[in-house]
Amino acid sequence: MKRKKIYIAYTGGTIGMKQSSKGYVPVAGYLTETVKNNAEFTREEMPLFDIHEYCPLIDSSDMSPLHWQLIAEDIQSKYDDYDGFVVLHGTDTMAYTASALSFMFENLTKPVIVTGSQIPLSQLRSDGQVNLLNAMYLAANYPIAEVSLFFNNKLFRGNRALKAHADGFDAFASPNLAPLAQVGINIQLQEGKLSPYVDQDLDVTSIQSQQIAVLHLYPGISATMVENVLSSDVKALILLSFGVGNAPQQDDILATLKSASERGVVIVNLTQCIQGQVNMGGYATGNALLNCGVISGYDMTLEACLTKLHYLFSQDLELETIRHLMQDNLRGELTR
């Protein structure tokens, strides 16, 4: 049987760093050399692979919509030559990039797996080898045609994942959707569906940086604070509310939100809770937001909501269409 071929885009991140007097720093060429000289990656059971190191390497804290576009276009340019794709990325904003790519790719028929590590390959006890090894193996042998995120033996839907642990190996979670696959002695598919090869062109929707604000509600928040966030030239506001979507009943806060919505700001209500979803009809405090023109984000992660807003505002869409699509399940990012 012909061995599959995987394209690895090394964008940067901890996995390819080495220790220096200033802490871990990226070293050009180190990751490629290490992987190619490791016998585990060249076993018969493993796919063939090519590694492309970005220059310069990007720290994930510096990731922006410009970089999402760069990664998407890179994969698009190699799409016909490979059976699957692995994106090596820093963990801090990995879930944002995975979410963004999930919306940008139209007609995706091959797996795109984003992964990385908490400890560099250059260090003892690195989790980088097992994460990359499994991501490559899954891309070749368990092709799930969507953007996913692999970490610590779990394959998550990319736009359902979030970073849940700052310094543990179990760094990512998907609170509102079971993993696509669980990797143990055996590989078990859960939510993931294997995709037969389909000859279909990949389309990439371009993304530009948008003015989007995020407001975390807290007890005692003032109307002035809300006004300050909305006084700038924002196109959308993500409101991180209490419980199932509740907010303070202060008339001046509600009036500020209603005024912003009426002048064209898309206000999306997400819960601060890790698990569960917004239901603004459950309590009067949530219903008041509904009456102000605030729309539900259901159980989307902040990462999915933010990148989805970037994706929609980057297109020539009517405002009401954007509001409608934010509440539609486009790429498996929400449950309704």
Side-chain angles (χ1 to χ4, degrees):
M1 189 173 182
K2 185 180 178 183
R3 288 168 74 180
K4 298 285 184 68
K5 194 173 183 182
I6 303 299
Y7 179 75
I8 302 171
Y10 174 40
T11 68
T14 297
I15 191 168
M17 291 184 176
K18 295 184 77 172
Q19 187 67 266
S20 77
S21 59
K22 297 179 180 179
Y24 292 135
V25 295
V27 177
Y30 174 74
L31 179 130
T32 299
E33 180 185 356
T34 301
V35 172
K36 287 188 173 179
N37 290 333
N38 187 323
E40 290 294 299
F41 288 96
T42 56
R43 292 169 62 110
E44 285 282 323
E45 305 95 313
M46 290 295 291
L48 302 171
F49 64 90
D50 290 319
I51 301 176
H52 170 58
E53 292 197 8
Y54 284 25
C55 183
L57 294 169
I58 310 157
D59 189 288
S60 69
S61 296
D62 291 324
M63 278 285 170
S64 69
L66 180 69
H67 297 113
W68 302 338
Q69 188 70 36
L70 180 70
I71 296 167
E73 289 177 354
D74 182 24
I75 291 173
Q76 184 183 33
S77 70
K78 308 293 193 306
Y79 196 69
D80 293 336
D81 301 327
Y82 295 89
D83 300 294
F85 302 85
V86 173
V87 178
L88 293 178
H89 194 288
T91 59
D92 286 349
T93 61
M94 185 184 290
Y96 287 95
T97 297
S99 294
L101 293 176
S102 78
F103 295 116
M104 296 172 75
F105 288 144
E106 309 271 355
N107 304 326
L108 187 64
T109 61
K110 298 177 182 181
V112 176
I113 303 178
V114 187
T115 191
S117 70
Q118 293 283 65
I119 299 178
L121 281 172
S122 61
Q123 301 299 302
L124 184 68
R125 299 177 50 250
S126 172
D127 55 330
Q129 177 171 322
V130 69
N131 284 343
L132 177 54
L133 198 75
N134 278 303
M136 292 168 60
Y137 187 83
L138 286 168
N141 298 293
Y142 290 82
I144 299 171
E146 59 179 276
V147 179
S148 55
L149 188 157
F150 184 85
F151 223 88
N152 198 38
N153 296 323
K154 298 184 188 76
L155 183 72
F156 302 111
R157 176 165 291 157
N159 56 37
R160 290 287 193 144
L162 52 82
K163 190 170 183 184
H165 201 305
D167 55 9
F169 285 142
D170 206 15
F172 288 86
S174 176
N176 290 308
L177 185 75
L180 301 178
Q182 178 80 45
V183 176
I185 294 174
N186 299 307
I187 295 173
Q188 297 179 329
L189 290 180
Q190 294 186 36
E191 290 294 323
K193 303 289 188 295
L194 297 186
S195 308
Y197 175 73
V198 179
D199 188 9
Q200 188 168 280
D201 291 336
L202 177 71
D203 289 330
V204 172
T205 301
S206 295
I207 278 189
Q208 293 84 39
S209 186
Q210 306 293 329
Q211 292 288 93
I212 299 168
V214 180
L215 180 62
H216 191 113
L217 296 182
Y218 54 86
I221 190 171
S222 67
T224 303
M225 178 65 72
V226 180
E227 288 169 5
N228 287 341
V229 172
L230 288 166
S231 64
S232 55
D233 190 24
V234 299
K235 292 183 177 180
L237 172 68
I238 300 172
L239 201 63
L240 297 174
S241 61
F242 308 127
V244 292
N246 302 315
Q249 292 294 279
Q250 293 171 233
D251 289 341
D252 47 2
I253 289 180
L254 295 175
T256 299
L257 293 173
K258 185 173 184 179
S259 174
S261 179
E262 287 174 348
R263 71 171 184 264
V265 178
V266 176
I267 307 177
V268 186
N269 190 0
L270 296 184
T271 175
Q272 296 174 15
C273 300
I274 298 296
Q275 200 163 12
Q277 68 174 281
V278 165
N279 174 17
M280 288 189 285
Y283 295 85
T285 47
N287 199 53
L289 290 178
L290 198 60
N291 293 333
C292 292
V294 177
I295 62 175
S296 176
Y298 298 95
D299 59 351
M300 275 191 290
T301 63
L302 171 61
E303 294 88 340
C305 186
L306 183 84
T307 54
K308 187 175 181 179
L309 284 166
H310 273 88
Y311 163 71
L312 293 174
F313 272 107
S314 294
Q315 301 175 62
D316 186 22
L317 301 173
E318 296 288 337
L319 199 59
E320 285 310 308
T321 301
I322 291 175
R323 287 192 171 111
H324 175 77
L325 291 174
M326 280 303 297
Q327 298 174 90
D328 276 358
N329 185 24
L330 302 183
R331 302 283 194 277
E333 72 278 7
L334 59 82
T335 308
R336 287 195 64 177

